[in-house]
Amino acid sequence: MTENTVPETDTGLLAVQRYVDFWNASTEDEQQRLATTTFATTVAYHAPVGVLHGVDELIGFRDQFADHSPNYRFETRTLPQAHHGRARLEWELTVDKTSFATGTDVLELDEEGRIVAIAGFLDRAPDGFPH
């Protein structure tokens, strides 16, 4: 995470931290470890780019973006919020330290703090994005 630090006592905010870490994982092993601790196996991702189901599709989407833009970073823009099994984070995606897009993701958590659903919104779409 950027300069915003997550209080370690809040399950929802810890889920956000793992989510951010997943998007920024630098190795396949780290990515797989984070996926296992971050997401329920049946996680559903709904965003303007499409709908994904399951951990494998989410990993594939992340890898496809990383292959296209290897010098990217996914970071929070503000301190995330969490309550009643939901968390919200405002994020910025940079490529080569240049802002690529901003958005807001709403995460739904299970009883163990794993993410079961993600609703992603673009606040500022990438240049040329048709949606």
Side-chain angles (χ1 to χ4, degrees):
M1 238 183 227
T2 58
E3 66 279 358
N4 300 323
T5 4
V6 174
E8 291 191 24
T9 56
D10 191 299
T11 302
L13 297 181
L14 286 173
V16 169
Q17 181 67 60
R18 288 191 311 268
Y19 182 70
V20 170
D21 291 345
F22 166 80
W23 287 108
N24 292 317
S26 58
T27 67
E28 192 174 312
D29 287 343
E30 180 185 15
Q31 177 190 45
Q32 190 60 51
R33 179 185 58 77
L34 285 163
T36 301
T37 60
T38 303
F39 304 109
T41 56
T42 58
V43 63
Y45 178 85
H46 295 79
V49 296
V51 177
L52 306 171
H53 297 282
V55 172
D56 290 341
E57 286 188 12
L58 197 53
I59 288 172
F61 175 66
R62 182 238 173 246
D63 289 349
Q64 184 179 20
F65 187 83
D67 288 345
H68 185 271
S69 302
N71 296 320
Y72 83 91
R73 291 293 298 165
F74 182 84
E75 299 179 322
T76 60
R77 293 185 287 146
T78 60
L79 189 64
Q81 298 174 323
H83 65 81
H84 299 95
R86 306 286 188 283
R88 177 179 73 166
L89 71 142
E90 295 176 355
W91 52 262
E92 179 176 34
L93 190 60
T94 60
V95 176
D96 293 322
K97 298 183 181 180
T98 301
S99 185
F100 179 77
T102 61
T104 301
D105 287 359
V106 178
L107 314 175
E108 181 181 345
L109 311 174
D110 67 13
E111 312 78 44
E112 297 172 6
R114 288 194 174 92
I115 299 169
V116 296
I118 303 154
F121 298 88
L122 286 172
D123 299 335
R124 183 181 47 78
D127 290 339
F129 189 71
H131 295 59

